[in-house]
Amino acid sequence: MTREDRGRQESWPISALAHELDVSTRTIRYYEELGLILPGRTERGIRFYSRGDRARLRLILRGKRFGFSLDQIREMIELFAEDRTGCMQLMRTIEYGNQKLAEIDEKISELMQLREDILVYKQSFEQKLLEETRRMTDECSSSTSSKWTEISE
Amino acid sequence: MTREDRGRQESWPISALAHELDVSTRTIRYYEELGLILPGRTERGIRFYSRGDRARLRLILRGKRFGFSLDQIREMIELFAEDRTGCMQLMRTIEYGNQKLAEIDEKISELMQLREDILVYKQSFEQKLLEETRRMTDECSSSTSSKWTEISE
DNA sequence: GGCTTAGTTGACGTTAACGTAAACGACAGG
DNA sequence: CCTGTCGTTTACGTTAACGTCAACTAAGCC
């Protein structure tokens, strides 16, 4: 609080951050409303963002790109950002981290499952394409109807 | 359309599906409103869902658990479910599949990045905990303030 | 000084994805 | 016959995550 503008300390206005991370300024202010970021202010009330704030915002956006709601993200950030000194507090925080890691691992495996599903669909179409081209060269039509209903069960 | 209830063909009412997949019946009907599923109907208008419908619904829900909007999911499903016979159509569909696969790969790698971030946070707290316990045994306090702002930059 | 541009707060609008409630029909049990 | 349960449609309510607009201030520029 005593000496917060030393010149060497790099910071950016809201517009720069918005442009860099490709979100609107409104969005950033909204995140502040929810208590997700607390940027610094000049004595005239103008926001400026440290590189820490920037990293934080990036983490928020990354979290958002999956199911995580802003509330869940806030949960994470709060737990990790607070200055927890107590031994029990530390252990609880670490436990929470492990939990989140497990959730993410779950998500990753689910994504890989989704990937597999789509791959199967695609391959069935590649198969179709192969048969199609064969028919065009052979000029002999054999009706093959592979129903999509049997996939991924 | 000619003979759709053969006894051997297994199907479920909406409530069973809702319970199994842990969503409300309203949600399932809403998906139907959007054209994401078209279950069969008895002559009295009661919906019943084939195992294909069930797989489809699972795919929808799985897609939803990440950023995918219902519109995007509809896009996918339509493209894969339609009976595309033309050669060009098949190729376009396959191309679309490749695109989706790439998107998913992107998501996966982003998730792993997020995982890494959280891991780093957690490790910093584990470090803190270690110092804390050391202080408690040593009874000698050395102030170490590791600012969180320097993480993941 | 006047204009433009970038920032602020505050209020209201909007969209997706459902929740909830009303009003109805079919069927089973007592 | 009455009640309850499960299904249907229609319609309106709700919440999160912003968009949009108005009214204002301060800085820079000619």
Side-chain angles (χ1 to χ4, degrees):
Chain A
M1 278 290 200
T2 53
R3 40 164 116 167
E4 50 184 42
D5 45 348
R6 292 187 52 182
R8 195 57 35 87
Q9 172 102 17
E10 41 195 344
S11 65
W12 301 264
I14 192 170
S15 58
L17 213 65
H19 182 261
E20 181 187 343
L21 300 182
D22 198 41
V23 291
S24 70
T25 60
R26 166 66 174 137
T27 298
I28 299 181
R29 292 200 197 94
Y30 178 62
Y31 291 165
E32 185 176 346
E33 277 183 39
L34 299 188
L36 294 180
I37 20 171
L38 280 105
R41 300 270 190 148
T42 72
E43 82 280 354
R44 241 174 250 89
I46 306 232
R47 285 166 245 248
F48 60 88
Y49 295 81
S50 71
R51 65 170 30 217
D53 294 328
R54 208 176 82 211
R56 191 161 176 152
L57 192 44
R58 266 216 284 267
L59 198 147
I60 296 173
L61 295 176
R62 188 174 298 141
K64 263 215 54 188
R65 256 166 244 142
F66 322 97
F68 297 125
S69 74
L70 292 180
D71 247 39
Q72 291 176 30
I73 294 174
R74 198 236 313 262
E75 229 186 0
M76 296 196 221
I77 287 187
E78 275 181 1
L79 261 161
F80 283 120
E82 276 179 29
D83 210 29
R84 320 192 147 260
T85 41
C87 200
M88 287 304 282
Q89 295 289 329
L90 282 173
M91 288 178 68
R92 273 185 53 76
T93 305
I94 290 170
E95 183 48 40
Y96 179 82
N98 282 330
Q99 192 181 310
K100 278 298 159 193
L101 283 179
E103 279 180 36
I104 289 181
D105 288 344
E106 171 88 24
K107 285 217 172 201
I108 288 180
S109 73
E110 265 198 283
L111 258 184
M112 295 177 86
Q113 177 64 38
L114 181 60
R115 196 201 129 93
E116 193 57 33
D117 281 10
I118 289 186
L119 192 65
V120 171
Y121 277 106
K122 204 196 76 175
Q123 281 169 348
S124 83
F125 277 85
E126 284 172 342
Q127 181 65 23
K128 269 190 178 179
L129 180 59
L130 211 128
E131 292 167 6
E132 192 84 359
T133 54
R134 186 171 302 162
R135 256 183 37 196
M136 288 183 67
T137 53
D138 284 13
E139 206 59 51
C140 166
S141 67
S142 64
S143 75
T144 49
S145 69
S146 63
K147 277 294 184 187
W148 80 280
T149 41
E150 296 306 316
I151 291 177
S152 143
E153 187 57 34
Chain B
M1 278 288 199
T2 54
R3 40 163 114 168
E4 50 183 42
D5 45 348
R6 291 188 50 185
R8 195 56 35 85
Q9 172 100 18
E10 40 197 345
S11 65
W12 301 265
I14 192 171
S15 59
L17 213 66
H19 182 260
E20 181 187 342
L21 300 182
D22 199 40
V23 292
S24 70
T25 60
R26 166 67 175 136
T27 299
I28 299 182
R29 292 199 197 95
Y30 178 63
Y31 292 165
E32 187 177 344
E33 277 183 40
L34 300 188
L36 294 180
I37 20 170
L38 279 105
R41 299 270 188 147
T42 73
E43 83 280 355
R44 239 175 251 87
I46 305 230
R47 286 166 245 247
F48 60 87
Y49 296 82
S50 71
R51 66 168 31 216
D53 294 329
R54 207 177 84 213
R56 191 161 176 152
L57 192 45
R58 266 217 284 268
L59 198 148
I60 296 172
L61 294 175
R62 188 175 299 139
K64 265 214 54 189
R65 255 166 245 141
F66 322 95
F68 298 123
S69 75
L70 291 181
D71 248 38
Q72 291 176 31
I73 294 174
R74 199 237 310 266
E75 229 186 0
M76 297 194 218
I77 288 189
E78 274 181 2
L79 261 162
F80 283 120
E82 275 178 30
D83 208 27
R84 317 192 151 262
T85 41
C87 201
M88 286 305 280
Q89 295 289 329
L90 282 173
M91 288 178 67
R92 273 184 55 77
T93 305
I94 290 170
E95 183 47 41
Y96 179 82
N98 282 329
Q99 193 181 309
K100 278 298 159 190
L101 283 180
E103 279 180 35
I104 289 181
D105 287 345
E106 171 87 24
K107 285 216 172 200
I108 288 180
S109 74
E110 264 197 285
L111 257 184
M112 294 177 86
Q113 177 64 38
L114 181 60
R115 194 200 132 94
E116 194 58 32
D117 281 9
I118 290 187
L119 191 66
V120 171
Y121 276 107
K122 204 196 76 174
Q123 280 170 349
S124 84
F125 277 85
E126 284 172 341
Q127 181 64 24
K128 268 190 177 179
L129 179 60
L130 210 129
E131 291 168 6
E132 192 83 359
T133 55
R134 185 170 302 164
R135 257 183 36 197
M136 287 182 68
T137 52
D138 284 14
E139 205 59 51
C140 165
S141 68
S142 62
S143 74
T144 48
S145 69
S146 63
K147 277 291 184 188
W148 80 281
T149 42
E150 296 306 317
I151 293 179
S152 136
E153 188 60 34

